[in-house]
Amino acid sequence: NEQERSQVKQLCEAVQRATGETVEVAWADQGYTGEQAKEDAAATGIELRVVKLPEAKKGFVLLPRRWVVERSFAWLARFRRLSRDFERMPEVLASLHFVVFAILMLPKAVMLLGAGQSS
């Protein structure tokens, strides 16, 4: 029951703990505007970039970087097990997400690894 902006520091700290301090840039929507949010993110080593809507918007407007998130959600939706919340433990659901993304990225990894080998 808090504003998104007031939770930036805790969120960034959790992200950095989970990723081993490797995140440098975070893309966020307009809920994270303001200097305090930028300062809180910068305190954890993350540059916060807010994606804003154009002033005079007519119809559908593709926002920069937003498509990456939407594409990832669409990829997840292809797996029936993730379409419903059947899991009792959140750790199981998180693990399933990891497995699904590993499955999705495996063909790309094979292609990259195969391109690096010469015959």
Side-chain angles (χ1 to χ4, degrees), residues 102-116:
I103 290 168
L104 291 168
M105 300 317 265
L106 190 59
K108 182 73 169 175
V110 168
M111 184 180 72
L112 290 173
L113 291 173

Side-chain angles (χ1 to χ4, degrees), residues 27-75:
W27 299 90
D29 64 10
Q30 289 180 320
Y32 294 94
T33 55
E35 286 303 314
Q36 186 63 44
K38 278 188 177 184
E39 290 172 10
D40 289 344
T44 61
I46 297 176
E47 177 189 350
L48 188 63
R49 295 186 187 170
V50 178
V51 179
K52 296 185 178 184
L53 291 170
E55 294 291 327
K57 175 178 121 170
K58 264 192 176 177
F60 175 76
V61 175
L62 182 64
L63 296 175
R65 305 302 300 174
R66 177 85 49 103
W67 63 271
V68 175
V69 175
E70 299 301 330
R71 177 200 60 196
S72 300
F73 286 146
W75 285 350

Side-chain angles (χ1 to χ4, degrees), residues 65-104:
R65 305 302 300 174
R66 177 85 49 103
W67 63 271
V68 175
V69 175
E70 299 301 330
R71 177 200 60 196
S72 300
F73 286 146
W75 285 350
L76 288 174
R78 292 180 13 208
F79 291 81
R80 291 188 66 210
R81 181 72 183 244
L82 298 178
S83 65
R84 301 272 186 226
D85 191 16
F86 291 126
E87 312 309 327
R88 290 184 183 176
M89 298 172 53
E91 294 85 5
V92 173
L93 186 60
S95 299
L96 285 172
H97 278 85
F98 182 83
V99 169
V100 165
F101 275 115
I103 290 168
L104 291 168

